[in-house]
PDB file of all heavy atoms in Angstrom:
ATOM      1  N   LEU A1029     -25.640  21.297  -4.004  1.00 66.00           N
ATOM      2  CA  LEU A1029     -26.848  21.356  -4.812  1.00 66.00           C
ATOM      3  C   LEU A1029     -26.994  22.732  -5.391  1.00 66.00           C
ATOM      4  O   LEU A1029     -26.654  23.752  -4.741  1.00 66.00           O
ATOM      5  CB  LEU A1029     -28.084  20.974  -3.956  1.00 66.00           C
ATOM      6  CG  LEU A1029     -28.097  19.662  -3.236  1.00 66.00           C
ATOM      7  CD1 LEU A1029     -29.254  19.452  -2.337  1.00 66.00           C
ATOM      8  CD2 LEU A1029     -28.131  18.503  -4.350  1.00 66.00           C
ATOM      9  N   SER A1030     -27.694  22.744  -6.602  1.00 68.00           N
ATOM     10  CA  SER A1030     -28.045  24.135  -7.188  1.00 68.00           C
ATOM     11  C   SER A1030     -29.374  24.465  -6.647  1.00 68.00           C
ATOM     12  O   SER A1030     -30.204  23.651  -6.255  1.00 68.00           O
ATOM     13  CB  SER A1030     -27.987  24.074  -8.651  1.00 68.00           C
ATOM     14  OG  SER A1030     -29.028  23.117  -9.079  1.00 68.00           O
ATOM     15  N   PRO A1031     -29.853  25.781  -6.807  1.00 69.00           N
ATOM     16  CA  PRO A1031     -31.202  26.120  -6.453  1.00 69.00           C
ATOM     17  C   PRO A1031     -32.149  25.312  -7.256  1.00 69.00           C
ATOM     18  O   PRO A1031     -33.296  25.016  -6.772  1.00 69.00           O
ATOM     19  CB  PRO A1031     -31.242  27.606  -6.798  1.00 69.00           C
ATOM     20  CG  PRO A1031     -29.843  28.085  -6.619  1.00 69.00           C
ATOM     21  CD  PRO A1031     -28.972  26.979  -7.174  1.00 69.00           C
ATOM     22  N   ALA A1032     -31.958  25.031  -8.547  1.00 62.00           N
ATOM     23  CA  ALA A1032     -32.782  24.190  -9.388  1.00 62.00           C
ATOM     24  C   ALA A1032     -32.985  22.862  -8.713  1.00 62.00           C
ATOM     25  O   ALA A1032     -34.128  22.345  -8.665  1.00 62.00           O
ATOM     26  CB  ALA A1032     -32.304  24.119 -10.759  1.00 62.00           C
ATOM     27  N   GLN A1033     -31.906  22.219  -8.225  1.00 62.00           N
ATOM     28  CA  GLN A1033     -31.925  20.880  -7.700  1.00 62.00           C
ATOM     29  C   GLN A1033     -32.800  20.913  -6.382  1.00 62.00           C
ATOM     30  O   GLN A1033     -33.568  20.078  -6.150  1.00 62.00           O
ATOM     31  CB  GLN A1033     -30.571  20.363  -7.430  1.00 62.00           C
ATOM     32  CG  GLN A1033     -29.866  20.050  -8.738  1.00 62.00           C
ATOM     33  CD  GLN A1033     -28.410  19.644  -8.442  1.00 62.00           C
ATOM     34  OE1 GLN A1033     -27.740  20.384  -7.810  1.00 62.00           O
ATOM     35  NE2 GLN A1033     -27.981  18.570  -9.075  1.00 62.00           N
ATOM     36  N   VAL A1034     -32.689  21.976  -5.592  1.00 65.00           N
ATOM     37  CA  VAL A1034     -33.363  22.135  -4.378  1.00 65.00           C
ATOM     38  C   VAL A1034     -34.888  22.246  -4.636  1.00 65.00           C
ATOM     39  O   VAL A1034     -35.627  21.618  -4.065  1.00 65.00           O
ATOM     40  CB  VAL A1034     -32.798  23.315  -3.524  1.00 65.00           C
ATOM     41  CG1 VAL A1034     -33.679  23.562  -2.310  1.00 65.00           C
ATOM     42  CG2 VAL A1034     -31.377  23.117  -3.143  1.00 65.00           C
ATOM     43  N   GLU A1035     -35.214  23.040  -5.586  1.00 62.00           N
ATOM     44  CA  GLU A1035     -36.602  23.132  -5.870  1.00 62.00           C
ATOM     45  C   GLU A1035     -37.162  21.824  -6.419  1.00 62.00           C
ATOM     46  O   GLU A1035     -38.414  21.458  -6.101  1.00 62.00           O
ATOM     47  CB  GLU A1035     -36.817  24.343  -6.907  1.00 62.00           C
ATOM     48  CG  GLU A1035     -36.721  25.707  -6.252  1.00 62.00           C
ATOM     49  CD  GLU A1035     -37.285  26.729  -7.142  1.00 62.00           C
ATOM     50  OE1 GLU A1035     -38.015  26.451  -8.029  1.00 62.00           O
ATOM     51  OE2 GLU A1035     -36.874  27.937  -7.013  1.00 62.00           O
ATOM     52  N   ALA A1036     -36.463  21.152  -7.256  1.00 59.00           N
ATOM     53  CA  ALA A1036     -36.931  19.917  -7.840  1.00 59.00           C
ATOM     54  C   ALA A1036     -37.074  18.886  -6.671  1.00 59.00           C
ATOM     55  O   ALA A1036     -38.085  18.153  -6.695  1.00 59.00           O
ATOM     56  CB  ALA A1036     -35.920  19.464  -8.799  1.00 59.00           C
ATOM     57  N   LYS A1037     -36.141  18.893  -5.813  1.00 60.00           N
ATOM     58  CA  LYS A1037     -36.242  17.906  -4.650  1.00 60.00           C
ATOM     59  C   LYS A1037     -37.497  18.212  -3.830  1.00 60.00           C
ATOM     60  O   LYS A1037     -38.249  17.364  -3.456  1.00 60.00           O
ATOM     61  CB  LYS A1037     -34.950  18.082  -3.776  1.00 60.00           C
ATOM     62  CG  LYS A1037     -35.072  17.320  -2.415  1.00 60.00           C
ATOM     63  CD  LYS A1037     -33.694  17.533  -1.680  1.00 60.00           C
ATOM     64  CE  LYS A1037     -33.890  16.887  -0.297  1.00 60.00           C
ATOM     65  NZ  LYS A1037     -32.574  17.088   0.450  1.00 60.00           N
ATOM     66  N   ASN A1038     -37.691  19.508  -3.430  1.00 61.00           N
ATOM     67  CA  ASN A1038     -38.889  19.909  -2.576  1.00 61.00           C
ATOM     68  C   ASN A1038     -40.242  19.616  -3.347  1.00 61.00           C
ATOM     69  O   ASN A1038     -41.192  19.263  -2.732  1.00 61.00           O
ATOM     70  CB  ASN A1038     -38.779  21.419  -2.230  1.00 61.00           C
ATOM     71  CG  ASN A1038     -37.629  21.714  -1.381  1.00 61.00           C
ATOM     72  OD1 ASN A1038     -37.095  20.859  -0.631  1.00 61.00           O
ATOM     73  ND2 ASN A1038     -37.186  22.964  -1.400  1.00 61.00           N
ATOM     74  N   ALA A1039     -40.218  19.739  -4.779  1.00 57.00           N
ATOM     75  CA  ALA A1039     -41.383  19.534  -5.490  1.00 57.00           C
ATOM     76  C   ALA A1039     -41.780  18.138  -5.371  1.00 57.00           C
ATOM     77  O   ALA A1039     -42.931  17.729  -5.241  1.00 57.00           O
ATOM     78  CB  ALA A1039     -41.157  19.925  -6.864  1.00 57.00           C
ATOM     79  N   VAL A1040     -40.758  17.139  -5.536  1.00 53.00           N
ATOM     80  CA  VAL A1040     -41.098  15.690  -5.483  1.00 53.00           C
ATOM     81  C   VAL A1040     -41.578  15.284  -4.067  1.00 53.00           C
ATOM     82  O   VAL A1040     -42.402  14.438  -3.888  1.00 53.00           O
ATOM     83  CB  VAL A1040     -39.948  14.950  -5.971  1.00 53.00           C
ATOM     84  CG1 VAL A1040     -40.340  13.439  -6.000  1.00 53.00           C
ATOM     85  CG2 VAL A1040     -39.606  15.380  -7.368  1.00 53.00           C
ATOM     86  N   VAL A1041     -40.972  16.002  -3.025  1.00 57.00           N
ATOM     87  CA  VAL A1041     -41.375  15.589  -1.714  1.00 57.00           C
ATOM     88  C   VAL A1041     -42.727  15.998  -1.501  1.00 57.00           C
ATOM     89  O   VAL A1041     -43.590  15.228  -0.874  1.00 57.00           O
ATOM     90  CB  VAL A1041     -40.391  16.295  -0.703  1.00 57.00           C
ATOM     91  CG1 VAL A1041     -40.959  16.246   0.753  1.00 57.00           C
ATOM     92  CG2 VAL A1041     -39.042  15.830  -0.723  1.00 57.00           C
ATOM     93  N   ASP A1042     -43.145  17.190  -1.961  1.00 56.00           N
ATOM     94  CA  ASP A1042     -44.542  17.627  -1.827  1.00 56.00           C
ATOM     95  C   ASP A1042     -45.555  16.603  -2.518  1.00 56.00           C
ATOM     96  O   ASP A1042     -46.536  16.243  -2.093  1.00 56.00           O
ATOM     97  CB  ASP A1042     -44.742  19.016  -2.432  1.00 56.00           C
ATOM     98  CG  ASP A1042     -44.072  20.073  -1.470  1.00 56.00           C
ATOM     99  OD1 ASP A1042     -43.906  19.755  -0.342  1.00 56.00           O
ATOM    100  OD2 ASP A1042     -43.872  21.171  -2.018  1.00 56.00           O
TER     101      ASP A1042
END
Side-chain angles (χ1 to χ4, degrees):
L1029 300 175
S1030 68
Q1033 289 174 312
V1034 173
E1035 287 195 16
K1037 172 181 174 179
N1038 293 338
V1040 182
V1041 170
D1042 290 340

